[in-house]
């Protein structure tokens, strides 16, 4: 008997090392793994779409995985020659395993918007998705298969013969794939036409295509000349009062979870007492911060929005600043302002543990109140705009978004692998973030109300979230799905407005009457110009739901009605 004990892992490694495959055999084996395992979400959704048809072809259903396998073999064959074979397959498997985890666990789809959001996300936010479950999953489906590819012995024919063999493989696979596609063309066309989102789930090729387009658009296209929408905007004073507007930019808050909008749980305990108006029919521009934030402040609307164009022209923050307002952007969101605040004064909250609201990585949103108070006590302009960018309800670590004394709804989910919490725990955690956001908004309003009482200052607060959030509905978590098929939970966002009634020219009863009108982030540009009293040629009156609620407009309309009565 050997004194040295051989572990089972060493036995497996030795077996793999002594296993010999041709390059084509390895290619076919890995392609089968990518198709049947790592593309399981795509296959599952496709099979569901096919079987949901009233009269579907069983043979089409059975050949569907073969069609995907053929495409995978062809694509991998183009980039997997000799020395590139193992590195290419290893990278493909590791990348696909990450995508498999994200899609299977959270319902994430790696389209262009998700790639942009991932690139522009800071490291602290990315690490919030890592947990023991994720590590085990990635090891099983990514690392172990990658180790197999690395260790297995591959025999390579002479270059010319290797090319001939590869061409034969491609030709045979292509013929079979074309035959399947040709025979069932009408079936593929019908399923594709009615389920346009399916292609977004193909792993990893949709990601590769999106990544290519992102790199091309951001690093290879020449920069556009900066466009001025207005060179001379002006502030129009209704009275001699100073004006302070606070725009609170929310994060990952969905309108359905606000009791202000009819949610059954009391998530808004503070702001209703202060007379806020909730606009309950508001839609976001995107389903991720990287798209929604720059789109929200851009003159471009959702239909025509393009980040490259938007960043090469003035946004509404620029217009307000150029008009003469003192503008300050304060961020408690590590994802930055997405280039919106580039040309104004900014302040980023430090996450040092020395601050009682911070843990070294994140800070509770109450931390925004300190710079707000400092600014309100040192007003240097007759017109001031302060933007407070919250971390809000950003997941998956919802439990890190509210302090323990604001933990209202229990039991809550105290972990990042939220799919392993119960439905009630997850919803309670998220509802706690909304309740805490409401508390912070109430504090902001209190500061503004106090300022109005002490001085002749007209104050207003507008709160708008960038996008919503899925909490497991239909198996989807978090946000970032392509807008075309994103659920309402990700696109229906809250908008809340408050103003000191005695000094503001806006009629609150009128605003209440339009609070259920259909609105979107497209309206934010003009609403913000209205409440900051900025006159500019970039303002579109018909796009401003607040316009008809100005006291001067109401008075003019009343006067016209009276004159008509006299004439009659």
């Amino acid at each position: 008997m050997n004194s040295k004990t051989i572990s089972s892992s060493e036995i497996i490694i030795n077996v793999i090392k002594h296993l010999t495959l041709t390059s084509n055999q390895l290619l076919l084996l890995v392609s089968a793994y990518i198709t049947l395992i790592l593309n399981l979400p795509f296959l599952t959704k496709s099979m569901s779409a096919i079987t949901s048809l009233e009269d579907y072809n069983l043979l089409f259903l059975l050949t569907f995985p073969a069609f995907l396998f053929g495409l995978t073999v062809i694509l991998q064959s183009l980039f997997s020659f000799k020395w590139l074979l193992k590195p290419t397959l290893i990278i493909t498997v590791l990348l696909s395993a990450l995508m498999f985890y994200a899609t299977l666990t959270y319902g994430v789809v790696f389209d262009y918007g998700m790639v942009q959001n991932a690139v522009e996300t800071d490291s602290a936010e990315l690490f919030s998705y890592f947990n023991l479950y994720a590590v085990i999953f990635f090891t099983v489906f990514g690392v172990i298969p990658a180790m197999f590819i690395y260790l297995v012995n591959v025999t390579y024919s002479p270059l010319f013969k290797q090319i001939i063999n590869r061409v034969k493989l491609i030709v045979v696979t292509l013929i079979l794939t074309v035959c399947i596609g040709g025979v069932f063309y009408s079936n593929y066309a019908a399923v594709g036409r009615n389920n346009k989102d399916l292609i977004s789930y193909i792993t990893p090729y949709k990601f590769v295509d999106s990544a290519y387009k992102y790199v091309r658009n951001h690093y290879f296209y020449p920069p556009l000349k900066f466009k001025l929408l207005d060179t001379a905007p002006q502030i129009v004073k209704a009275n001699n009062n100073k004006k302070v507007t606070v725009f609170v930019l929310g994060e990952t808050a969905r309108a359905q979870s606000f009791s202000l909008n009819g949610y059954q749980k009391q998530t808004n305990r503070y702001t209703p007492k202060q007379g806020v108006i909730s606009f309950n029919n508001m839609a976001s521009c995107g389903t991720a911060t990287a798209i929604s934030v720059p789109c929200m402040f851009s003159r471009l609307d959702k239909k025509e929005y393009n980040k490259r164009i938007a960043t090469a022209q003035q946004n509404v923050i620029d217009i307000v600043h150029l008009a003469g307002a003192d503008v300050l952007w304060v961020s408690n969101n590590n994802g930055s302002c997405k280039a919106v605040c580039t040309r104004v004064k900014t302040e980023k909250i430090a996450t040092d543990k020395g601050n009682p609201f911070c843990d070294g990585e994140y800070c509770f949103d109450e931390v925004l109140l300190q710079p707000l108070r400092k600014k309100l006590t040192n007003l240097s302009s007759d017109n001031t705009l302060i933007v407070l960018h919250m971390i809000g309800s950003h997941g998956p670590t919802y439990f890190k978004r509210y302090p323990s004394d604001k933990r209202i709804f229990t039991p809550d989910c105290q972990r990042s692998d939220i799919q392993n919490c119960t439905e009630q725990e997850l919803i309670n955690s998220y509802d706690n973030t909304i309740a805490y956001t409401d508390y912070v908004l109430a504090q902001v309003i209190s500061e503004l109300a106090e300022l109005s009482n002490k001085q002749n200052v007209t104050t207003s607060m507008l709160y708008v979230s960038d996008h919503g959030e899925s909490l497991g509905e239909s198996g989807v978590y978090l946000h970032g799905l392509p807008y075309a098929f994103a659920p309402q939970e990700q696109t229906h966002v809250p908008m809340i407005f408050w103003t000191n009634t005695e000094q503001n020219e806006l009629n609150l009863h009128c605003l209440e009457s339009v609070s259920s009108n259909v609105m979107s982030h497209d309206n934010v540009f003009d609403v913000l110009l209205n409440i900051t009293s900025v006159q500019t040629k970039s303002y579109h009156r018909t796009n401003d739901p607040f316009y008809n609620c100005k006291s001067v407009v109401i008075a003019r309309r009343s006067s016209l009605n009276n004159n008509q009565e006299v004439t009659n």
Side-chain angles (χ1 to χ4, degrees), residues 260-300:
L260 280 167
N261 297 329
Y263 186 49
Q264 68 273 18
K265 290 166 70 174
Q266 195 65 24
T267 52
N268 301 108
R269 303 185 176 201
Y270 303 96
T271 54
K273 301 172 185 177
Q274 296 169 310
V276 300
I277 298 173
S278 177
F279 296 83
N280 55 31
N281 206 355
M282 182 80 170
S284 66
C285 183
T287 61
T289 306
I291 297 173
S292 282
V293 170
C295 179
M296 184 191 311
F297 292 97
S298 170
R299 178 68 282 176
L300 303 174

Side-chain angles (χ1 to χ4, degrees), residues 106-148:
Y106 300 119
V108 174
V109 173
F110 291 87
D111 67 334
Y112 186 92
M114 180 54 69
V115 170
Q116 178 180 329
N117 198 46
V119 171
E120 298 179 13
T121 296
D122 71 300
S123 57
E125 183 178 327
L126 283 176
F127 279 115
S128 69
Y129 292 88
F130 285 91
N131 48 66
L132 182 59
Y133 177 78
V135 172
I136 294 173
F137 191 102
F138 181 65
T139 300
V140 172
F141 292 98
V143 175
I144 292 176
M147 287 300 296
F148 172 85

Side-chain angles (χ1 to χ4, degrees), residues 435-462:
Y436 181 59
T437 290
D438 185 71
Y439 171 78
V440 175
L441 293 179
Q443 298 303 304
V444 171
I445 292 171
S446 295
E447 295 292 333
L448 293 176
E450 184 179 352
L451 178 66
S452 296
N453 292 333
K454 290 181 178 179
Q455 305 177 34
N456 290 327
V457 181
T458 300
T459 57
S460 300
M461 184 207 75
L462 182 66

Side-chain angles (χ1 to χ4, degrees), residues 232-442:
Q234 296 180 331
I235 293 173
V236 179
K237 279 192 170 185
N239 48 47
N240 293 324
N241 292 353
K242 286 185 176 182
K243 173 165 285 205
V244 174
T245 304
V246 175
F247 185 99
V248 183
L249 178 54
E251 173 67 52
T252 323
R254 64 185 203 175
Q256 296 94 323
S257 296
F258 281 64
S259 53
L260 280 167
N261 297 329
Y263 186 49
Q264 68 273 18
K265 290 166 70 174
Q266 195 65 24
T267 52
N268 301 108
R269 303 185 176 201
Y270 303 96
T271 54
K273 301 172 185 177
Q274 296 169 310
V276 300
I277 298 173
S278 177
F279 296 83
N280 55 31
N281 206 355
M282 182 80 170
S284 66
C285 183
T287 61
T289 306
I291 297 173
S292 282
V293 170
C295 179
M296 184 191 311
F297 292 97
S298 170
R299 178 68 282 176
L300 303 174
D301 60 24
K302 180 186 177 300
K303 291 181 180 178
E304 62 183 3
Y305 175 75
N306 178 288
K307 186 179 180 181
R308 186 165 173 263
I309 297 174
T311 53
Q313 66 181 29
Q314 289 173 307
N315 57 52
V316 66
I317 301 296
D318 296 323
I319 297 291
V320 173
H321 179 54
L322 186 60
D326 180 16
V327 180
L328 173 65
W329 185 294
V330 186
S331 179
N332 186 37
N333 189 303
N334 292 329
S336 79
C337 67
K338 308 303 179 186
V340 174
C341 63
T342 303
R343 292 166 291 276
V344 299
K345 289 183 292 186
T346 60
E347 181 178 335
K348 188 173 181 179
I349 300 294
T351 59
D352 301 337
K353 289 185 178 180
N355 191 316
F357 294 113
C358 307
D359 63 4
E361 287 186 337
Y362 300 102
C363 299
F364 298 128
D365 279 324
E366 278 179 88
V367 76
L368 292 166
L369 298 175
Q370 184 176 356
L372 173 64
R373 293 184 185 112
K374 182 179 179 181
K375 187 64 180 176
L376 294 181
T377 55
N378 295 278
L379 296 176
S380 59
S381 173
D382 287 344
N383 195 307
T384 302
L385 170 63
I386 305 166
V387 181
L388 303 179
H389 192 178
M390 293 179 136
I391 195 169
S393 304
H394 202 290
T397 51
Y398 304 118
F399 66 98
K400 291 186 177 182
R401 305 292 172 252
Y402 49 91
S404 57
D405 64 333
K406 297 297 186 294
R407 190 181 174 196
I408 301 171
F409 306 107
T410 57
D412 54 355
C413 180
Q414 294 282 317
R415 54 197 297 176
S416 61
D417 52 336
I418 53 178
Q419 72 281 1
N420 292 320
C421 288
T422 66
E423 179 184 2
Q424 193 58 56
E425 288 172 341
L426 177 57
I427 292 174
N428 282 343
S429 289
Y430 185 81
D431 289 346
N432 281 333
T433 69
I434 301 300
Y436 181 59
T437 290
D438 185 71
Y439 171 78
V440 175
L441 293 179

